[in-house]
Each structure stands twice: as structure tokens, then as C-alpha cells.
Amino acid sequence: MAYSTNASKNKRRKLLVVEDNDINREMLCAILDGEGFEVMEAENGEVGLALLEQEYEDLSLVLLDVYMPVCDGFEFLERKRGDRRFDSVPVIVATASEAREDEIACLKLGANDFIVKPYNTEIMMNRISNTVHLRESASLVNQLTWDTLTNLYSREFFYRRVDSVFTSMGDDLQFDMVCSDIVNFKSLNDRYGRQNCDQLLQDLAARLEELLPGYVVGGRIGADTFAFLVTHQPDHTWVSAIADVSKGLLGTSLSVKFGVVENVDRQLSVSLTCDRAIMALERIKKTFGVDVAWYNDKLREQQHMENTILESMETALDEHQFTVYYQPKHDLKGNRTGGAEALVRWIHPTLGFVSPGDFIPIFERSGFITQLDLYVCEEVCKEIRRCVELGLPVVPISFNASQLDFDDEDFAKKIVALTDAYGIDRTLLHVEVTETACSENPDRVIALLAELRDFGFHVELDDFGSGYSSLASLNMLPLDVMKLDMSIIQQASQLDDFRIVHSAIQMAQFLNLETVAEGVETQDEVRKLKELECGKIQGYFYSKPLMGKDFETYLAKEA
Ligand code: C2E
Ligand code: CA
Ligand code: CA
């Protein structure tokens, strides 16, 4: 038999057998002794724990019975888990063949594997040698097993634990993967301090371990990202169980989001499964009132599309698949075009037209956006140059900058180099930034915007009113133009109540900023905005974004 060859290797390896049935115990000991193990015996958990205390440093394995007098297997596991010194000693539990609930309960308590009674010697020896081997090869990373802050498994170990749960449990049992993430954890850290946030992570992990029905194992797989393997919950019972999980933790503003992969496919790696749960979760990060998202076919397709996009973006840039369109901004006072915004378009060879709303976020995540933004900026310079050469009325054109552009210390200098290369008056180039782009590192962004303005470029604040805006940040940012987001224009129009738009325009005037209203579609809106002394209007009412040639024709009409 294959395992017999291990007999010599097993010399010096100590094994503890905890079993109340004398005959079973003696039989086990005889087999293990024959395999070269040094065997210690305990007739119940209490005695077993005492031996564990004495011998844990040299023990290779515990073989544990579940039902015993005095202190049963569950209690043994629970007390063993309470003492970190014993983490390095694996436990194989012996259960009755139909005791599925026992197995799950033991897994939760940290058991490593199972053998079924009555014992089959060959299976048992293989499982023992696998577990011992696994543990010995893992002993070096033992210190990394637990996350000391939350008591959850660390990432790598969580993946391994889940794998071993999958191999030790029958295929008929289904599992769900639940990942959690705290919204804006970084800013909470800044606001409440590290110590409070550590406490928050600790409390949250403990609550989730307690609240999640069917909980099997949990891991901390990112700074504020936890993953939990639970037995499949067909009725989503845990959604209501965790509804109030963040209540009372660190003030009222805390928001915890969950992503779920149901009926986990065991063929996939655990890390990919977690990625999928997190992907589902990312989609609801900014959605107020929705805290749980499931990974589904639609997301699978999106992921497929995301991969296609990531694989083809560099080629697309090299092959000029990106085209820049220009949407006029109409100057209400002069009643003529007073500017334009550059908006990128991508006709993908296999996907067809892809909306910027779909690919920009992917580029932002991958970092590719910085290359695209510079590309668009260069195209804008070329377009302005062409307008000058064609003798058309020349208007300033803005391009969109992303948060990541601000991480580049040379961003402003690169823009200068481009305008210089095409001989463009710098005041003709505007840079659109959003407030969120400024939220990460305000000092840095303020310095960079100031630098851009010192060079002569104009800065426009994009999407004002779309989310959380504060007068304070508005006052701090070096700006020339405020763009009112289309959502506040359209809402005002629907409710026939322009008071918010009015006060936004007044605020801009107070700060000496020019105003541009976005997404204006009707004559009525134009009339209202004119009354409120809005400066410029951008929207379908005047024009959709136009190809370069069409934009030139548009300008030519005003020449
Ligand atoms: P944004 O900067 O807020 O651009 C305005 C969006 O509103 C554009 O969508 C534009 O086509 C659309 N729009 C303009 N007028 C109207 C209207 O009257 N009604 C309606 N319903 N929509 C109108 P688009 O071109 O799909 O761009 C979406 C977003 O993608 C942009 O929002 C911007 O954040 C981003 N984006 C586009 N081009 C670039 C780029 O070159 N770089 C970066 N970083 N982001 C870009
Ligand atoms: Ca914009
Ligand atoms: Ca906008």
C-alpha cells in the first residue's frame, strides 16, 4: 500500500488521538504505530487539551472524535482555537458518515479535514499524510495565517482554507462567497484616525462572523475587504441579518457594501471567485440605499467586455481608433458659439461603438486614462490649429482630465509642450476637472490647478451639483468656469423649479466664475437660463458632439 512507505519518514512525528471508545482508540494507535508515528492517547477532550498544552510544539496532528463525555470534539476545537499557540497543530475529525452538520460545525471551528467511521485504513493514512505534509510545508508561513487585527484568516491562507473546505466536503453541498467593503475607508481613516478605524475593522469582522448565516470561514483579503465562505443560502436570509451591521459603528456615515457569488464554482480559483464578488460590489459602491449585489450573467458579460477593452486599448491608441468629437458651448450674451468640449469616441473593431461611459471607468482603473487624456489634448491642439489655418472663428476647447492625471507631476508641463508644439494660444485650451478628482489629495490638486492657470490655461469645474459639492472646496480651488451638471438642469426643468440652478449661478458669480449649463435640450430651458444670467449653454438644443469636420462646418456658419 502506498502509505506504508511512509513508515520510516514518520519516525519522530508525534500524533495525538482523542477518542473515548477504547477499542477504536487502540485500533487507531496500532495502525499509526505501525506507520512509524509516536502516538499519544486521550480518552476525552479535556485530557486531549492537557496533552496539547504540553506537546503542541512537537505535535504533527490531532485525530479527534466528535462525541465524547466530559469535553466533546466541538468544545476541544473551540478551546484550541482560542489559543494561538495551537494554530500550528492540524486536526482531523472522525465523524459518522451521515453527519453533514457536524462536519460544517467542525470546519467553522477550524478542523482541517475529516475521516468517516468506520475507518478505512488506506483513506485514513492518505488523509493524515496529506494534512501533515500540508502543514509542514505551510509552517513557514504560519505567522501569516491570521490577520492579527480582525482574527480572520489572512488572504493567502483564506484561499487555502476555502480550497481545503472544498476538497473535504462533498460536491452536493453548495457554498456562497460573500465579500464586504467599507465605502470610502481611506477618508474615514483620515477623519477618525487609525486607531478608531482599526477598532471599526475589528468590530465589523466580529459582527459579520456572528451574523452571517451558514458562516464557514472568513478572511481579510484587503485593507477593508473581508471575504466569507457560507453554505448556500437559497432565500438570501442573510440580507436581512446584516442589514444593520454598520449601525452604531463609528458614527452614522459608515456604509458597508456586499458582493455575492452564489453557488461557487469549485473549478475556479478562490481568488477569482472573490474578484467576482468584489466586482459585483464595486457596481453599487456609489448607489445609496443598495448594499448587496450579486454576481450574475450580465456582470460576466461586462467582465468579458472589460477584458476585451483592456486587451485592445493600447493597439486602439496606436491605430487611431479613438476619435475626438466636439460639442459646441453656446454663448448666450453674444448669441454665438463661445467654446466647445472635446469628447472621445471609440469605434472598436469587434465591439462596435463603445460609450465613453463604459470604457473611461475601465481606463481609470487600469491607469491607461492618462495616455488617452494626453492623446485627446493633442487632438484638440490639432483641431484649434486647423481652425486657425482655415480662418474659422476660433473658440476655446476644453478636454477632460481625470484624477490620475494629477498624480503626474509633469502634467502641466506636458500640456504646455503640446500647445507649444502646435503654436496654440494657451488661453484657448481649457481643462475640465471634477470635484471628485480633487477629493483624494486636495493640496496637490490645488497646486496643480494653480500651475495650469499660471501657464495661462483655463480650468473648468465639471459636473457641479452632481454629487456632494461644498462651497468650501469651491472657494479653495483655483477655477475659471463652473459647469452645472445636466442632472440639476433636467431636474429643475421637470419640477419647473429653477431655484437651485439660480443659487448655483449666483454662487458662481460671487466667486467670479463663468457658468456653463450642460445637457440643455429645450427652448424653455434656454429661456430660463438666459433669465438667470447663465453664461454659456452646452447641450443637444444647440448641437450634439460633432466630428471635427462637422464642427468646422458649424463654426463656418458663424464666420
Ligand atoms: P461629461 O464630461 O459630463 O460630458 C458630457 C456628456 O453629456 C457627454 O457624454 C455628452 O455627449 C453628453 N451630453 C451633452 N449634451 C447633452 C444633452 O443635451 N443631453 C444629454 N442627455 N446628454 C448630453 P459622453 O460623450 O458620452 O461622455 C460621457 C463622459 O465620459 C463625460 O462626461 C466624461 O466624464 C467622460 N469623457 C468623455 N471623453 C473623455 C476624455 O477624453 N477623457 C476623460 N477623462 N473623460 C472623458
Ligand atoms: Ca466634461
Ligand atoms: Ca459634465
Side-chain angles (χ1 to χ4, degrees), residues 327 341-345 355-357 360 364 369 372-373 376 400-402 405 432 462-463 483 485-486 490 518-521 538-541 543 545:
Q327 186 175 34
E341 174 178 7
L343 292 158
V344 72
R345 300 287 176 259
S355 158
I360 298 282
E364 282 174 338
I369 192 68
L372 182 75
D373 285 343
V376 171
N400 291 279
S402 307
D405 293 323
E432 293 196 13
D462 204 356
D463 301 342
K483 294 188 77 178
D485 190 66
M486 76 173 90
Q490 292 187 344
E518 286 189 288
V520 176
E521 295 179 350
Q538 177 185 353
Y540 295 169
F541 180 76
S543 173

Side-chain angles (χ1 to χ4, degrees), residues 252-267:
T252 47
S253 54
L254 181 69
S255 163
V256 183
K257 302 280 184 181
F258 296 88
V260 187
V261 174
E262 281 190 298
N263 297 320
V264 172
D265 178 353
R266 298 186 190 188
Q267 306 298 318

Side-chain angles (χ1 to χ4, degrees), residues 28 156 270 328 341 375 390 398 464 481 531 543 555 559:
L28 273 176
E156 288 309 318
V270 182
E341 174 178 7
Y375 175 83
L390 291 171
S398 58
F464 180 80
V481 179
E531 267 171 38
S543 173
L555 289 176

Side-chain angles (χ1 to χ4, degrees), residues 287-419:
T287 315
F288 181 76
V290 180
D291 295 330
V292 185
W294 282 265
Y295 182 82
N296 53 27
D297 288 343
K298 200 171 144 220
L299 277 182
R300 205 188 312 271
E301 265 168 44
Q302 275 180 17
Q303 197 173 36
H304 179 72
M305 175 157 130
E306 178 155 346
N307 289 340
T308 313
I309 285 177
L310 288 170
E311 281 159 16
S312 51
M313 61 194 184
E314 313 243 347
T315 324
L317 195 61
D318 293 342
E319 293 181 354
H320 296 273
Q321 286 172 17
F322 295 107
T323 315
V324 179
Y325 277 52
Y326 301 90
Q327 186 175 34
K329 296 172 182 167
H330 190 84
D331 181 350
L332 284 174
K333 250 200 198 131
N335 194 27
R336 56 188 292 121
T337 305
E341 174 178 7
L343 292 158
V344 72
R345 300 287 176 259
W346 186 9
I347 311 290
H348 189 281
T350 56
L351 297 173
F353 178 84
V354 197
S355 158
D358 288 332
F359 65 80
I360 298 282
I362 299 175
F363 290 180
E364 282 174 338
R365 282 198 290 275
S366 76
F368 183 69
I369 192 68
T370 55
Q371 290 183 56
L372 182 75
D373 285 343
L374 285 175
Y375 175 83
V376 171
C377 177
E378 178 160 8
E379 292 300 302
V380 170
C381 292
K382 287 183 195 168
E383 186 59 48
I384 296 174
R385 181 82 250 150
R386 204 156 36 236
C387 289
V388 172
E389 280 167 7
L390 291 171
L392 294 168
V394 179
V395 294
I397 301 181
S398 58
F399 74 100
N400 291 279
S402 307
Q403 182 167 349
L404 280 180
D405 293 323
F406 296 110
D407 291 345
D408 179 0
E409 285 193 1
D410 295 328
F411 182 65
K413 290 188 196 79
K414 286 178 183 166
I415 308 296
V416 169
L418 285 172
T419 41

